[in-house]
């Protein structure tokens, strides 16, 4: 048993070394993030949030690395990353506008806005629909980064996109 | 004397331009003191500016000069005498608009920590007695008596217990949790600390959705500021990751444990086996924020408000296409029509109201014929709906109820955790049926003169027994029945509410 475990460790270390050598700064940062959170209970989401924030995504290689350091399987990490809308597999090449498409914003013209803004947004930004930004009495609303905008119409949203 | 100019720093006010307006005042009157307060909840007036008690709103940067020189026609008079405010009973939101969210002095000056200090003297049994006597029910939607939950946790042995605050306010049309966390974070912390004393928990988590970055920042600062006041009770803020179903209490616990937010089958109840398998109180923001008032002013003072088994007050959120949208805290029992017409002023577009969705995306659509419905848990349940988290979304007559029913299915499909079949697959099938019905209706319009071509497209269906709108609607009914009784949690279980209420009340929108 013991021998088997040791040989497994050696194999893992070889690929980890290879990974880290490719991009040492990245894995140093990931190590920092992990050690910052690892003592809290249920630390995986805070770790993934920080990784998503730093790199704009949780790449496959990152998942593989995390599985190793957190003693989880890659399938577990993949399952968790894919479950949550906030985590992406690859970074978005365009700035993201989160447009609220929940009922309250629908009642205030979200559908029309979404149809009209598609043309403007094309190539400049990625429009994602989120369900509720909590600005339901002043919709349609959108969030860019952590900036919130309410009472939108096509004209206002066009200005926001142009200012990106 | 320096002039005091108060402007809210609530996310909605900022989204309407409050930061720019505050900056403009700062430039124009550099000697004035600009105070960033919480929001009064009168959202149609945001950014609302208060100068010596007098309100002006909505103020844009163009209006700043006129407001200062006294020539502005945006004056609404003395803010606290505004009818929108005088009609309310503000217990939970007593400080809204009046205090700076992170000022411990402001909090203290308006009854802050009064409940917590009382709780420390009273001890576990009496605190729980008071919560039971107050009649406080879970404000998150299910309406389960808070005192019974607390008693269960207190009576369950365990070396470690937890207080978990469900701040994953994902329902459309709701923003009271957000306003409280941003505007009065100490109130929530005080409520959690009292719950901790009641059940013997020294650790609390606030699970906030990632769509609320302002609330997250405020809470984190507030917790750091008052750590020594509530010690040894310790609170940690955890951020969700954009998944609606994590607002369901067992999904939330899974997510807090660092897993996929899939619902757990109950029993065991979270009160007995909750976070990390330990006894856990899971309460919504508004439930916990109601607690300090009860402890400070007594159970009776709270229970005296309300009707029937719905005691106390409910912060109702008026949203959607409504003229006077915002937060309206009042005792249970006010009618739906009063809320949307008298207080909300009807639609913002000026067109007649067609439908009102109460209780978030899983709540029913109510036609104006149901406007005499009293706002309390039992009446709404009886009418086939729910009050949920107190959100009310108004639609004018341009709303297409088939599109809304379809959206309910689409939302369920997008947000299902996938654990149970009725929710995961039922929602997709529902979506398909609605899309097919819409296509059929299109085809019928195109082929009005050719009845054979207008027949539905199932190529192997016998022509005389082809699908009709009524057979499709029957299919939806059966599907909703399966979802309602077969789903593990409220997402699949209540999606039939908006769907069936739309079909029942607006059959004409379904081509029938």
């Amino acid at each position: 048993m013991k021998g088997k475990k040791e040989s497994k460790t050696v194999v893992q270390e070889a690929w980890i070394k290879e990974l880290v050598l490719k991009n040492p700064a990245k894995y140093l940062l990931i190590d920092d993030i992990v050690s910052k959170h690892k003592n809290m209970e249920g630390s995986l989401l805070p770790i993934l949030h920080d990784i998503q924030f730093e790199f704009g995504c949780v790449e496959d290689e990152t998942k593989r690395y995390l599985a190793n350091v957190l003693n989880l399987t890659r399938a577990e990490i993949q399952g968790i990353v894919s479950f949550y809308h906030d985590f992406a597999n690859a970074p978005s090449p365009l700035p993201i506008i989160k447009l609220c498409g929940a009922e309250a914003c629908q009642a205030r013209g979200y559908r029309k806005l979404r149809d009209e803004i598609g043309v403007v947004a094309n190539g400049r930004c990625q429009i994602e629909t989120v369900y509720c930004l909590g600005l339901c009495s002043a919709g349609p609303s959108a969030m860019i980064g952590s900036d919130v905008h309410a009472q939108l119409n096509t004209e206002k949203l066009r200005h926001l996109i142009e200012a990106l | 004397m320096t002039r005091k100019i108060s402007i809210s720093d609530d996310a909605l006010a900022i989204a309407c331009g409050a930061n720019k307006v505050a900056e403009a005042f700062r430039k124009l009157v550099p000697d004035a003191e600009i105070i960033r307060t919480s929001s009064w909840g009168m959202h149609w007036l945001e950014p609302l500016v208060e100068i010596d008690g007098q309100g002006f709103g909505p103020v844009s940067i163009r209006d700043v000069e006129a407001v200062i020189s006294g020539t502005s026609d945006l004056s609404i008079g003395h803010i606290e005498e505004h009818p929108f405010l005088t009609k309310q009973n503000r217990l939970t939101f007593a400080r809204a608009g009046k205090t700076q969210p992170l000022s411990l002095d402001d909090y203290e000056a308006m009854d802050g920590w009064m409940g917590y200090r009382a709780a420390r003297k009273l001890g576990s049994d009496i605190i729980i007695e008071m919560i039971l006597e107050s009649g406080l029910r879970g404000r998150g939607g299910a309406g389960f008596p808070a005192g019974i939950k607390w008693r269960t946790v207190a009576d369950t042995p365990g070396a470690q217990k937890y207080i978990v605050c469900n701040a994953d306010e994902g329902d459309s049309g709701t923003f009271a949790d957000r306003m409280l966390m941003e505007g009065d974070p100490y109130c929530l912390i005080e409520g959690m600390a009292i719950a901790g004393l009641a059940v013997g928990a020294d650790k609390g988590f606030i699970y906030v959705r990632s769509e609320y970055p302002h609330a997250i920042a405020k809470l984190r600062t507030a917790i750091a500021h008052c750590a020594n006041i509530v010690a040894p009770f310790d609170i940690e803020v955890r951020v969700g990751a954009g998944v609606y179903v994590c607002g369901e209490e067992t999904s939330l616990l899974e997510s807090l444990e660092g897993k996929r937010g899939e619902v757990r089958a109950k029993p065991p109840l979270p009160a007995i086996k909750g976070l990390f398998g330990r006894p856990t109180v899971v309460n919504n923001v508004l439930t916990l924020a109601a607690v300090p008032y009860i402890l400070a002013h007594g159970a009776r003072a709270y229970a005296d408000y309300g009707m029937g088994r719905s005691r106390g007050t409910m912060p109702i959120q008026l949203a959607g296409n409504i003229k006077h949208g915002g937060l309206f805290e009042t005792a249970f029992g006010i009618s739906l029509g009063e809320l949307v017409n008298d207080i909300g002023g009807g639609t913002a577009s000026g067109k007649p109201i067609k439908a009102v969705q109460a209780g978030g995306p899983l709540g029913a659509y109510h036609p104006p014929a149901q406007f005499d419905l009293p706002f309390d848990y039992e009446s709404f349940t009886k009418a086939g709906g729910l009050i949920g988290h107190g959100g009310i979304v108004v639609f004018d007559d341009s709303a297409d109820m088939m599109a809304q029913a379809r959206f309910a299915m689409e939302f369920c499909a997008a947000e299902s955790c996938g654990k149970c079949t009725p929710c995961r697959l039922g929602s997709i099938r529902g979506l398909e049926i609605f899309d097919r019905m819409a296509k059929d209706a299109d085809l019928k319009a195109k082929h009005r003169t050719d009845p054979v071509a207008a027949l539905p497209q199932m190529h192997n269906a016998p022509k005389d027994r082809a699908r009709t709108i009524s057979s499709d609607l029957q299919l939806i009914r059966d599907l909703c029945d399966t979802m309602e009784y077969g789903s593990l949690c409220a997402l699949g279980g209540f999606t039939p509410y908006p769907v069936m209420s739309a079909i029942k009340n607006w059959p004409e929108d379904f081509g029938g």
Side-chain angles (χ1 to χ4, degrees), chain A residues 41 49 79 84-86 108 137, chain B residues 43 162 210 240 242 259-260:
Chain A
E41 298 170 292
H49 266 303
Y84 293 99
H85 303 319
D86 282 3
R108 298 178 66 97
S137 45
Chain B
H43 289 168
Y162 296 109
S210 60
K259 304 180 200 151
R260 292 161 69 93

Side-chain angles (χ1 to χ4, degrees), chain A residues 40-42 44-45 49 79-80 83-86 102-104 106-108 111 131-134 136-137 146 148 150, chain B residues 15 43 162 172-173 175 178 209-210 214 238-242 255 259-261 276 278 320 357 394 404 407 411 415:
Chain A
M40 50 162 79
E41 298 170 292
L44 190 53
L45 247 63
H49 266 303
I80 290 160
F83 183 83
Y84 293 99
H85 303 319
D86 282 3
E103 286 91 338
Q106 287 172 18
R108 298 178 66 97
R111 288 174 208 269
Y131 296 120
C132 204
L133 296 173
C136 317
S137 45
S146 58
V148 282
Chain B
H43 289 168
Y162 296 109
S172 168
F175 43 79
R178 180 185 64 68
R209 56 205 304 264
S210 60
H214 296 78
R238 288 290 175 90
V239 182
S255 185
K259 304 180 200 151
R260 292 161 69 93
F276 302 110
R278 290 154 182 164
Q357 186 179 30
V394 176
Q404 296 309 128
F407 176 75
F411 182 74
E415 297 295 332

Side-chain angles (χ1 to χ4, degrees), chain B residues 285-307:
Chain B
V285 174
L286 296 181
T287 319
L288 290 162
V291 167
Y293 179 90
I294 296 167
L295 267 292
H297 301 278
R300 282 258 58 88
Y302 190 77
D304 280 347
Y305 294 95
M307 72 176 274

Side-chain angles (χ1 to χ4, degrees), chain B residues 307-342:
Chain B
M307 72 176 274
R309 285 174 50 222
S310 304
R311 310 309 316 174
T313 61
M314 183 75 189
I316 295 166
Q317 299 121 83
L318 302 173
N321 193 339
I322 192 162
K323 197 170 170 198
H324 297 156
L327 182 109
F328 192 87
E329 182 176 351
T330 185
F332 285 101
I334 187 169
S335 79
L336 184 59
E338 253 177 291
L339 281 169
V340 297
N341 281 325
D342 304 347

Side-chain angles (χ1 to χ4, degrees), chain A residues 72-90:
Chain A
L72 294 166
T73 64
R74 278 162 70 190
E76 279 172 296
I77 303 261
Q78 172 60 32
I80 290 160
V81 170
S82 64
F83 183 83
Y84 293 99
H85 303 319
D86 282 3
F87 305 136
N89 283 314

